[in-house]
Amino acid sequence: ATRLLSHAAASPTLHPTRRLATRKKILCLHGGGGSAAALEQQMGMAALVNDLSATHEFVFAQAPYGDTAGALWIRDPPNGKDAPTTEPSWASRSDQAIDRLVQTHGPFDGLLGYSQGAAYAIAYLARAPPTTFRVAVLFCGYLPSTHLGLMQTIDGRAPFPSVRALFFTGANDFVIPS
């Protein structure tokens, strides 16, 4: 029911799945410092995949900054979070990786992001063609406010009327407060 993709891979590297034409595809982005494999194995994610496997195929993407043990969609500002970046293309390698996945493994119905994956999903939606994704599901995410260039792109495109979105935050999340 799932496929795991590396940003460098030309084809799925793990978990071959049979393709059913009626299943909708969801592209999943892991959190910062995480990996595609770790997101797929998280209890809540595994339950979601299991519950929706008859109607949805989940594709887990690997972020390009770092390695498979701990990768980022958006690099931290070079001078720390108190000195935000201003470059609109700060996450360009992530943009290129997701563009490649959409071209080679799409079309996708939805984009799911967890933590930094949710923050990057918002930045990606701001620059992608409006019909790239129909739905966005963002768990424990935030706006990338330490990256003023990305925020300028987001603000310039918002709202995203062609994308229905669900934002989930935890009342007891002390890492990313709601």
Side-chain angles (χ1 to χ4, degrees), residues 58-160:
F58 292 81
V59 178
F60 291 84
Q62 181 65 39
Y65 299 106
D67 58 35
T68 57
L72 302 172
W73 296 104
I74 305 169
R75 295 167 292 145
D76 289 335
N79 296 318
K81 294 184 179 186
D82 291 332
T85 64
T86 57
E87 179 57 50
S89 62
W90 187 253
S92 62
R93 284 179 49 199
S94 293
D95 294 341
Q96 293 165 6
I98 299 304
D99 286 347
R100 229 177 359 264
L101 288 174
V102 168
Q103 286 177 342
T104 59
H105 298 287
F108 289 95
D109 189 55
L111 180 62
L112 181 149
Y114 170 71
S115 192
Q116 191 193 65
Y120 173 68
I122 296 166
Y124 185 79
L125 289 170
R127 60 164 291 285
T131 57
T132 305
F133 296 98
R134 192 180 64 79
V135 176
V137 181
L138 308 168
F139 294 100
C140 305
Y142 53 91
L143 288 171
S145 59
T146 59
H147 301 285
L148 301 179
L150 295 179
M151 287 301 300
Q152 183 178 17
T153 302
I154 292 167
D155 290 342
R157 179 82 176 270
F160 308 132

Side-chain angles (χ1 to χ4, degrees), residues 33-56:
S35 69
L39 177 60
E40 183 180 15
Q41 294 169 7
Q42 286 182 2
M43 186 179 354
M45 191 72 229
L48 182 66
V49 169
N50 185 55
D51 288 348
L52 298 178
S53 64
T55 56
H56 291 77

